[in-house]
Amino acid sequence: MVERVGILVVAYGSRASAVIDALSRSDNYDTHFYVADRQHNPFNLRYAEEHVVIPDLDVAKIRDFVDANKDRIDFGICCPEGPIIAGVRDVVERDTGVAMICPTKRYAIEASKASQRLLLAECCPEANPRFKVFHRDDYGYRSEAELKDAIWKFLDELGSEVAVKPDKPTAGKGVGVWGDHFTNREQLFEHFKSIFESGSDVIIEEKMEGEESSFQAFCDGRNLVPVPDTRDYKRAFDYDMGQNTGGMGSYKDTKDWLPFMDRHDREDEERIVQKIFNALRGDGDGSNDGLRGMPFYVAFMHTREGAKILEINSRPGDPEIQNVLPVLKSDPVELCFSMIEGNLSPSKLECDAKATVVTYAVPMDYGGYRESYSGDRKVDLSGVYRLKEKYGDDLRVYPGSMELRADGNTYALGSRTVCTVGIGDSIEDARAISLDGIRHIDGALWNRWDIGAPHYIARSVERMKDLRRG
Ligand code: GLY
C-alpha cells in the first residue's frame, strides 16, 4: 500500500523545483508538499498542499509554518545555505519535533572560508592551496602602508597569482582573481580594501590552475554516499568570459567522473572528502547526525599537483543537483528516510547511467549582459512544456527566480529564471534536448550556448593532459 508522507521544502531557485519533482515521483509514497518559498514559484505552487512566501527565508517564520502544519509533515528539506547558516535545522527540530534534512548550524561550513581552510590544513593539507587569513582586528588599526607591507610580503612568498576572498559566503561573487579582476598589486589592494571595508576578514590564496568538478555526497551522519560528479559553468558568457554567477549550467557524463578525469581522480576526491567527514564527525561511535543531508558540496580544481579544494558548501549545488535528481533510480523518499534513520548506503542511491545537461535562462540584467533592462519581464513556459510531448521525461523544466502573479502570467525576477535539463545517452544528446527546451521558452531571457559543448569538453581534456604532462 502507498503510504502518505508530508514533506516540508525550504525553497530557493530551480534546485527546489528539482527536489519536489524527484520526490513526487516516488513509487512507494504518496507525497504532499509544504513549501516555504521566496516567492510564488509556479512549479512549487502547483505541487504544494500548503505554500507560504517568506522572501527572506527567515528561520522563525519557517518554524511557524512548520508548527502550523506539523501533524501533517514527516520531515523537511532545506535547499539554500542561508537558513542552514541561520540554524533552521536546530530551531525547527527543537520547536516542532519535525526532522530536518540538512546540517545543523554548527556544520554550515560555508559560513567561514577561513575556518574551511584551517580545517583542511589539519585533515587534508594536500587539497589546500597556500593561503593566509588577514583579520580585520589585527590590521584594522594599522596604516594603509603597514597593511600593504604585510600583503606584499605574502605575495613575495607566493607569487602574485592569487585569489582574494571575503571570509563569508559569496554566492560566486566578491572573489577577486589575479588576471581576471586585477593585474597589478595596487588593483589587488583596492579589491582587498573593499572587502575589509565591507566588514569581512580576507583570505589570500594561491590561484589554482586546472579543471573544475563539483562533488556532492548525501550523508546520514555515519555514512557518506557520493553522487556522480558534475561540471558547473560559473562564468556568465560562452568561452568562460564575463563575471562569476551562481552557475549558468552544468553537465554530467554517463559515469561517475567527468571526461577530463579518470577513475583515480574520482577516488582522490572521495578519499579527500572522507577525511574531511572523519575530521568533522569526530571519534566516539563514528556517527554525528549534525552532518545529515548534503554536508559536502565540494568544488574541486584538478591541478598539476592533484585535486585541490576551491570551496565547500553544506547544501546541494545549484545547478549541479539538477543534473543528478532526474536520473535517480532509487526511491527518493526512501533515501530521505535512510538519512534520518542513519542507514544510508550506496544501494539507496542508484542513478541511471545517463548524461544530463542543465542550461539556465536568465534575465537581461543578470550577469552583466545588460547594464539594465526596463522591458517586459513576462515569461511564458507553455512552449517548452509542449515540447515534453516530444521528449517525455528526458526533458525537465525547473522554474527558479520567477513568480506567478495575480494576472495569471509568470514573470522573471532578478536571478536565474528557469533551467531545462536534457537527459540522454551522451552529453551531446542531453545538450541538444536542453537547448531545444531553452529555445521554446518565450521571454526576454538569455543563456550560454556552450554548456556541455564538444569543443568545450575537448578543451578541458586537452588542458588536463597538458597539465599532467607539465
Ligand atoms: N553552482 C555553485 C554552487 O551551487 O555553489
Side-chain angles (χ1 to χ4, degrees), residues 81-121:
E81 69 264 24
I84 302 177
I85 295 170
V88 71
R89 163 132 175 234
D90 313 59
V91 171
V92 168
E93 290 191 347
R94 183 195 64 208
D95 293 355
T96 72
V98 170
M100 289 295 293
I101 299 181
C102 64
T104 55
K105 181 181 172 88
R106 177 164 176 207
Y107 297 104
I109 196 162
E110 59 275 81
S112 164
K113 289 184 192 297
S115 309
Q116 269 187 35
R117 286 290 173 226
L118 295 170
L119 171 72
L120 299 180

Side-chain angles (χ1 to χ4, degrees), residues 15 232 234 246-247 297 311 313 315-320:
R15 174 177 48 195
D232 184 22
K234 290 203 175 70
Y297 158 97
E311 63 166 342
N313 290 293
R315 43 73 182 161
D318 183 347
E320 293 97 323

